[in-house]
Amino acid sequence: MSLVVLAGPAGVGKGSIVKWILDNHPDFMLSVSSTTRDPRAGEVDGVHYNFVSKSVFEQQIEDGQMLEWAQVHGNHLYGTPLNELARAEEQNKHLLLEIDLQGARQVAEKLPGALMIFINPPSFEELERRLRSRGTETEEQIQTRLTTARTELAAAGEFDYQLTNLDLEACARQVVELVHEAERGS
Ligand code: 5GP
């Protein structure tokens, strides 16, 4: 079982890459994060996120239940509950963590064996285009995400591997290959 951190700026396609891997590789599962933000249309509690109040989230931090957590886009709290690791171990699956840079750094420090993968966009212009075309954020939120994206892109070199999402399926296949290679090597 490997712990795989997938990081990269909002709009780069992490969600679609994860979905492709889950649909095609039953030896992978997604870590369900906790968040204080409201669910979007179609998001299911316990599947996409555990949607919790700020007080519940803060209690979980205090109780030592979070592997990592961060305030993302200067707004809501997001974190990986430690019990997701146990769930993956029980099911003997590779655990995918789709988290931000701050969280990725915490995981790298706490669990040096984690496979750290950064997903780059083909260009900054393409990232901006993808972010706008998904239509889930206001202009103000898009500007915040673009500012965060510049910081995240500057940190790509901290990761074990960098991939570029030119083609969703090709990029997702590369993630799977890296994980299987690491598994064979260990
Ligand atoms: P969204 O609100 O669009 O679902 O996610 C916003 C950002 O939060 C994304 O960049 C995503 O990677 C990050 N994120 C989601 N879950 C977690 C988590 O558990 N920990 C951290 N640190 N970031 C997360």
Side-chain angles (χ1 to χ4, degrees):
M1 173 247 170
S2 307
L3 188 82
V4 186
V5 171
L6 275 189
V12 79
K14 286 171 292 176
S16 308
I17 291 168
V18 165
K19 187 174 182 312
W20 187 92
I21 295 173
L22 296 177
D23 286 347
N24 291 281
H25 292 272
D27 54 332
F28 283 79
M29 62 183 269
L30 178 64
S31 164
V32 181
S33 298
S34 294
T35 182
T36 60
R37 83 150 161 76
D38 292 331
R40 295 188 188 123
E43 285 183 334
V44 180
D45 189 29
V47 176
H48 297 95
Y49 283 106
N50 300 306
F51 295 100
V52 299
S53 65
K54 198 169 177 216
S55 59
V56 166
F57 196 104
E58 284 170 345
Q59 190 61 50
Q60 288 172 345
I61 298 171
E62 203 166 307
D63 294 345
Q65 291 175 19
M66 291 292 184
L67 167 63
E68 60 75 32
W69 65 275
Q71 188 169 3
V72 182
H73 303 313
N75 200 358
H76 288 292
L77 303 176
Y78 294 78
T80 306
L82 265 175
N83 60 19
E84 288 299 286
L85 265 64
R87 201 162 68 89
E89 256 161 39
E90 269 166 31
Q91 299 187 24
N92 196 25
K93 292 191 178 192
H94 302 303
L95 185 67
L96 291 169
L97 267 61
E98 188 204 325
I99 60 177
D100 88 323
L101 175 65
Q102 307 167 75
R105 284 175 171 155
Q106 293 171 46
V107 174
E109 198 173 307
K110 284 191 186 165
L111 302 170
L115 199 62
M116 308 293 299
I117 302 177
F118 190 90
I119 313 289
N120 282 294
S123 67
F124 198 81
E125 291 67 32
E126 175 62 14
L127 181 72
E128 182 163 358
R129 195 193 63 72
R130 288 183 191 175
L131 204 48
R132 288 184 190 287
S133 71
R134 72 182 186 181
T136 46
E137 282 96 3
T138 62
E139 180 58 30
E140 195 188 338
Q141 287 171 329
I142 288 172
Q143 289 307 327
T144 309
R145 278 155 181 69
L146 289 173
T147 304
T148 308
R150 289 188 195 279
T151 311
E152 300 217 336
L153 290 168
E158 295 175 23
F159 286 72
D160 298 326
Y161 299 97
Q162 290 191 50
L163 301 175
T164 299
N165 185 12
L166 276 169
D167 173 82
L168 156 69
E169 192 175 320
C171 190
R173 281 183 195 282
Q174 282 177 297
V175 172
V176 171
E177 189 49 37
L178 284 174
V179 176
H180 286 163
E181 251 172 43
E183 194 182 23
R184 285 193 294 272
S186 63

